[in-house]
Amino acid sequence: MRWSQLFIPTLRDVPADAEVISHKLLLRAGYIRQLGAGIYSLLPLARRSLLKIENIIREEMDAAGGQEFYLPALNPDDVWKASGRWDVMGANMFRIKDRAGRDLCLGMTHEEVFTSIAKDGLRSYRDLPQIWYQIQLKFRDEPRPKSGLLRVRQFTMKDSYSFDIDKAGLDRSFDLHDQVYRKIFDRCGLKYTAVQAVSGSMGGSESQEFMVQSDAGEDWVVNCHKCGYAANLERADSKLDPVEDPEGDLKPAEVHTPGQKTIEEVTAYLNTVPENLIKSLVYIVESKAWLLLLRGDHQLCEMKLAGAVGSENLRPATDLEIRDLFGADPGSLGPLGVSNLSILADNSLQGRRNMVCGANRNDYHLENVTPGRDFTAEFTDLREIQAGESCIKCGSSLEIFKTIEIGHIFKLGTKYSQSMGATVLDHNGKEIPVVMGSYGIGVDRILASAVELYNDENGMILPRSIAPFEAVITLIRPDNPAHMEFAEKLYLELRNRGIDTILDDREERPGVKFKDAELIGIPVRITVGKKLDEGSVEIFTRADKKMEVIPAEKCLEETIRLLENYADKINGL
RNA sequence: CGGGGCAUGGCGCAGUCCGGUAGCGCGCCUGCUUUGGGAGCAGGAUGUCGGGGGUUCGAAUCCCUCUGCCCCGACCA
């Protein structure tokens, strides 16, 4: 490939719309252009990189026994109605009508279509297990697309689906995907964390996400350095230090607290600590009100609430609704005497005594309230944990960081096979629903994550395996026939050795060529210039910015050697 | 969906308050010089000023309206 003939539209100025690093660099380096909100055109550089990522995925999926499919993005409504997700997906699903007025949608994921194939095609336990996958476009009408390729409305996903006869088989398929995903992300040069996750609208019993640490991400991950416990904040748990409650078998007593509404105000006014307060929140779930109780210093985790009440259709109650329900305003609420709504209490309130809560009467609170005795509630995990709390497994201090989700694997069970009638005959000739798993990788997010992880003031520093080119021969004087002849020969030799090389033969000044090569993140640059007249060339490695001058005849082997060791340099970043 | 911001040549911006028919940097084209870290000189091209409507002798600028994009929040597989 000659640079002079390629379309690599690099920019000097950063487009004003770009906020996160990967977005800025992908635009500046000529990888992508925006067509609309959350819709991007992939230019040749991005295409090269993404094809390399896809091929890594393909190789590893095939090696694990996966079979590649290619399913339609355009889906008739019936399969989605059969699974019940035509309604569940709501406004996130792109819906269209055909000329006859029939409902269709653009696929957000492909459990339904794969299950419909399994329904007809898989008949007996003898056909199992199966692992089916595809690398294909997904369409999701995101409420808020953002951050370049990180959150878009059309993207490439590798999705795979496992079909097993029983739970043990599903466990094997799930573990297999866990291993395969680690190989894929390792080969792509990413640093990632596998975390326990919430299944959400996908359904199923257990799920695990693969996360790349980055402030450009949107998910928070809780991680224990010592024992390796890691979970999405939406489901993470921690060990709490015991709280010293006031001694004695005291009776609830009303206390006048004029104008004291917040936890801080009440704590100060009553000369106590937030740990001794019961925080009362009111939520409306599916139009039904719930009273939620937490320790004064804790925050509610809405995803945990959603899990506890079995619905994601929830919101905080309005002040007006609260007044109707309690006859008091927020800031004076509590569980005593509440009979008209369900009460959920966080586990941290279990076994406590002599606490403080609102009296359901403005400007009054209750002291000496003991959960379980003075009110009843269902105890469950509701609180969002905080950095520095103790690891649930080993007790070490937990860290919390922001991440990009690049993969998510689910144990679905029989949710889809049951609703869609995908059954097989077991050993006894009995018809049973096939046990499924579902596994996704965000292909474009791998590229964006790599850019987020590895960059400097000069641009991207891409891992060799996913860089659009592995090496660039920068010809300082393309008008010098001897230099050109050497460069072309070297180019062919590198190509013959399997090195994906580009020859920068443009009539540009050297500085422009250096800047461009660094911006687009090519691992190794061979500079052919005036030193060639003394028989030497220069080799530069992008990751560590090391420059060496070597005899021209050693250039081929040195390039290969540097590329072989390049992964270590990326890891050092 | 709520809040905030933006829309002027390929990219970055000024001009808008206070109306007079569009400018700067980069990029692009031509020529000459230059050639190891985003060159210099000279010349040149490129604009429905997001769309529609209105006010006015005259609108990038004032008024109304629509659309698009970005950010925060809500939401999210």
Side-chain angles (χ1 to χ4, degrees), chain A residues 30 122-123 156 177-178 240 299 303 342 416 455 468 519 538:
Chain A
L122 299 177
R123 311 207 159 274
T156 301
H177 275 87
D178 175 46
L240 285 176
Q299 301 294 320
M303 280 302 279
S342 314
Y416 297 92
N455 64 76
L519 179 61
E538 229 170 56

Side-chain angles (χ1 to χ4, degrees), chain A residues 412-432:
Chain A
L412 294 178
T414 57
K415 174 179 171 175
Y416 297 92
S417 50
Q418 220 147 28
S419 59
M420 299 183 66
T423 57
V424 292
L425 297 178
D426 69 7
H427 299 71
N428 304 315
K430 189 179 159 226
E431 206 170 330
I432 59 168

Side-chain angles (χ1 to χ4, degrees), chain A residues 317-344:
Chain A
T318 63
D319 288 3
L320 212 63
E321 288 168 327
I322 289 173
R323 188 149 240 304
D324 281 349
L325 287 162
F326 291 82
D329 291 318
S332 303
L333 305 181
L336 269 70
V338 171
S339 57
N340 53 342
L341 64 176
S342 314
I343 304 178
L344 278 181

Side-chain angles (χ1 to χ4, degrees), chain A residues 221-229 237-239 241 385-401:
Chain A
V221 156
V222 175
N223 185 53
C224 175
H225 260 314
K226 197 164 180 192
C227 74
Y229 170 76
D237 209 354
S238 74
K239 197 184 289 176
D241 297 331
I385 81 160
Q386 282 157 21
E389 291 181 358
S390 302
C391 175
I392 189 76
K393 282 192 174 164
C394 75
S396 305
S397 179
L398 290 170
E399 58 170 353
I400 299 183
F401 49 78

Side-chain angles (χ1 to χ4, degrees), chain A residues 172-184:
Chain A
R172 281 192 296 275
S173 294
F174 185 89
D175 292 344
L176 180 62
H177 275 87
D178 175 46
Q179 294 310 310
V180 169
Y181 275 35
R182 289 171 193 270
K183 274 187 207 158
I184 289 168

